Amino acid sequence: MDDSKSTQLLTELKEQLVKVANQRDKQAYAELFSYFAPKILNFGNQKLSSQGLAMDLVQETMTTVWTKAHLFDADKGSVTTWVFTIMRNRCFDMLRKVQHNKEDTFGDDIWPVFESPQAEEQEDHILTAKMLKHVDALPPLQRQVVKGIYLQELSQQELSTKLSVPLGTIKSRLRLGLVKLRSILEKHYD
């Protein structure tokens, strides 16, 4: 891209971001999204090694662009620098969460009790009934996600699509549901 086209593109991106900041212009935001989303997704796929996390990175970055557009200062840098800085920071946050996230541990700690292969069928039926009673005690949205993931064996992405809910929301509901379920189980069975 030659300098005049590059300068023109940066000017257009800046104008769109200003419209988002000042007028909450959805069309301008859509244009920013269509320009930045593929670049963020590509970066996320490289750095996070997961399509789902890369999609989350796009969502979180562009949501921040929408909510914090008023903080953009053209005197401090270009629109691309500002957006890519947000993307990089969100990516670092996500990498830290992945390293410290105990979500999978919660699932492995709880559900082997639920699906115990050593148990006889009668005993397994009783365990299933007890576990379902505790799952049913969860708030409705968390219960829906926990049942979808563990009983219907849907992936988080499949459940997100099925419920028409963002993937990040599914992950949050699952994490909260498992934390509550774990505390219920610890209270009743410790």
Side-chain angles (χ1 to χ4, degrees):
M1 184 181 290
D2 65 16
D3 285 345
S4 66
K5 286 185 180 180
S6 178
T7 303
Q8 181 182 356
L9 175 64
L10 289 174
T11 302
E12 289 173 9
L13 292 173
K14 178 181 167 187
E15 289 170 0
Q16 291 163 348
L17 188 59
V18 168
K19 286 180 184 177
V20 170
N22 297 335
Q23 303 162 8
R24 307 309 281 166
D25 187 318
K26 291 180 183 176
Q27 180 59 39
Y29 178 74
E31 291 174 25
L32 287 171
F33 194 96
S34 67
Y35 178 79
F36 285 108
K39 293 167 180 48
I40 297 168
L41 185 62
N42 186 36
F43 178 85
N45 281 325
Q46 291 174 3
K47 299 296 181 188
L48 300 169
S49 302
S50 163
Q51 181 71 21
L53 289 175
M55 291 171 63
D56 285 350
L57 180 62
V58 171
Q59 179 183 359
E60 290 184 23
T61 301
M62 294 309 295
T63 299
T64 302
V65 169
W66 174 259
T67 57
K68 298 198 177 199
H70 64 282
L71 298 176
F72 171 70
D73 184 353
D75 295 334
K76 292 184 179 179
S78 71
V79 173
T80 54
T81 302
W82 187 72
V83 173
F84 291 143
T85 300
I86 292 170
M87 172 195 68
R88 184 183 55 105
N89 291 339
R90 291 283 181 235
C91 185
F92 287 150
D93 291 345
M94 292 173 80
L95 287 169
R96 277 192 289 274
K97 282 182 186 177
V98 166
Q99 290 173 348
H100 296 356
N101 192 348
K102 305 254 192 268
E103 180 178 319
D104 292 334
T105 308
F106 287 139
D108 292 342
D109 287 350
I110 294 172
W111 293 99
V113 171
F114 180 66
E115 300 175 338
S116 176
Q118 327 76 341
E120 296 175 16
E121 285 204 23
Q122 179 73 14
E123 188 177 323
D124 191 45
H125 178 70
I126 292 169
L127 284 174
T128 301
K130 285 181 181 179
M131 183 59 75
L132 284 175
K133 181 183 87 173
H134 296 305
V135 169
D136 287 338
L138 294 173
L141 297 175
Q142 293 170 15
R143 178 176 58 235
Q144 181 182 39
V145 171
V146 169
K147 283 185 172 183
I149 299 291
Y150 289 102
L151 299 178
Q152 297 171 11
E153 298 181 0
L154 298 171
S155 71
Q156 292 177 355
Q157 184 64 52
E158 290 169 334
L159 194 57
S160 169
T161 303
K162 180 180 176 183
L163 299 176
S164 300
V165 173
L167 182 60
T169 302
I170 295 295
K171 290 179 180 197
S172 295
R173 289 177 185 170
L174 179 62
R175 187 185 77 251
L176 291 171
L178 290 176
V179 168
K180 286 182 184 174
L181 192 55
R182 185 175 197 171
S183 70
I184 290 169
L185 291 173
E186 286 174 349
K187 184 173 131 186
H188 285 61
Y189 298 103
D190 268 354

